[in-house]
Amino acid sequence: MDVLLSILHAHAPADLALIALVFVLAGLVKGVVGLGLPTVAVGLLGMMMAPREAAALLVVPSLVTNVWQLAAGPSAGLLARRLWPMLAGIVAGTLLGGMLLPASASADAVTALGGALMMYAAAGLASFTLHVPPSGERAASPVVGLVTGAVTAATGVFVIPAVPYLQGLKLERDALVQALGLAFTTSTVALAASLLLAGQFQVQAAGLSFVALAPALAGMMLGQWIRGRIRPALFRRCFFIGLFVLGLHLLLRPFIG
């Protein structure tokens, strides 16, 4: 408790309030659409800090909410056996990317984050869906994992290309939600390990990440309440438009800032 209080005292109240607001919004999005917490959190925090610093703050909220999502169904074991090549690729790509990414690449990472958010938003707005034939799954799965891991290491966002790929497997709805939880949990653990190895997940970052858990859970519960009162399609459209604008801002910031 003393360590946590000292971490809180080391930051301006306005900064802490802003971080809390970001995680409430990120949790709200996840509560309504079932994903998007790291995307929103890192995207918004990326306007204040480097993506890897922002990624360190989302480790605890992302891990807890994704384990929650993963546990909400009976198919975790079957999905893990099916998806293990992708999951192994995510771990390898994240760890290798973290080791190979130069410390001076923060500006490039911000640009990459903006591009990743725009691609994700554009795919969502276009209702783009991959089709992965069963015959191609074995070859595609580890490649998708490696690329997802590399993007995760650079930007802290682990939706591209894992989410479109999992959607392309044509899983049943509950199985898809659980598969996303499995992929996101694996990505979060791999990202935490990568940050730890790079010395970017120290006591202060871990403490702030723990503090961010409460607003993220509050936002998620609020989002679940909202989900039953609005049309999810309308919310998803607004979410993807906002994400595209945010990505465009991050993409252009090195050139206009």
Side-chain angles (χ1 to χ4, degrees):
M1 180 62 70
D2 290 340
V3 174
L4 190 57
L5 288 175
S6 66
I7 291 172
L8 292 175
H9 289 152
H11 293 80
D15 292 338
L16 293 173
L18 190 55
I19 290 172
L21 178 59
V22 165
F23 278 96
V24 168
L25 291 173
L28 186 149
V29 170
K30 185 173 181 65
V32 175
V33 300
L35 55 106
L37 187 148
T39 311
V40 174
V42 174
L44 292 174
L45 292 173
M47 295 190 290
M48 305 182 283
M49 59 186 75
R52 295 273 288 183
E53 295 176 34
L57 299 189
L58 71 85
V59 167
V60 174
S62 180
L63 183 61
V64 171
T65 56
N66 285 316
V67 168
W68 182 356
Q69 180 174 333
L70 173 61
S75 305
L78 292 174
L79 286 169
R81 286 192 289 273
R82 177 177 178 179
L83 299 174
W84 75 263
M86 185 191 76
L87 302 177
I90 287 173
V91 173
T94 304
L95 295 179
L96 286 173
M99 288 187 289
L100 297 175
L101 184 69
S104 60
S106 60
D108 293 335
V110 170
T111 302
L113 173 58
L117 294 182
M118 289 179 68
M119 286 191 296
Y120 179 47
L125 287 170
S127 298
F128 173 74
T129 303
L130 287 174
H131 173 64
V132 182
S135 60
E137 184 177 342
R138 177 175 293 185
S141 191
V143 176
V144 168
L146 282 170
V147 175
T148 300
V151 173
T152 298
T155 68
V157 173
F158 31 81
V159 296
I160 300 294
V163 171
Y165 172 75
L166 290 174
Q167 291 171 332
L169 295 179
K170 306 302 181 186
L171 297 169
E172 183 266 337
R173 179 180 174 181
D174 291 340
L176 175 59
V177 169
Q178 204 166 21
L180 291 170
L182 184 60
F184 295 161
T185 299
T186 302
S187 293
T188 303
V189 173
L191 178 61
S194 175
L195 292 168
L196 192 62
L197 289 172
Q200 295 175 302
F201 193 57
Q202 298 175 345
V203 173
Q204 186 175 79
L208 279 178
S209 184
F210 183 79
V211 169
L213 175 60
L217 290 176
M220 188 172 177
M221 288 186 286
L222 178 60
Q224 291 172 337
W225 179 83
I226 291 174
R227 182 168 56 191
R229 289 162 174 79
I230 67 168
R231 291 188 295 119
L234 175 61
F235 184 91
R236 287 178 66 88
R237 192 174 301 114
C238 294
F239 164 59
F240 285 126
I241 290 172
L243 209 59
F244 188 89
V245 173
L246 175 60
L248 181 62
H249 170 78
L250 293 174
L251 186 68
L252 296 178
R253 192 174 71 175
F255 307 103
I256 61 178

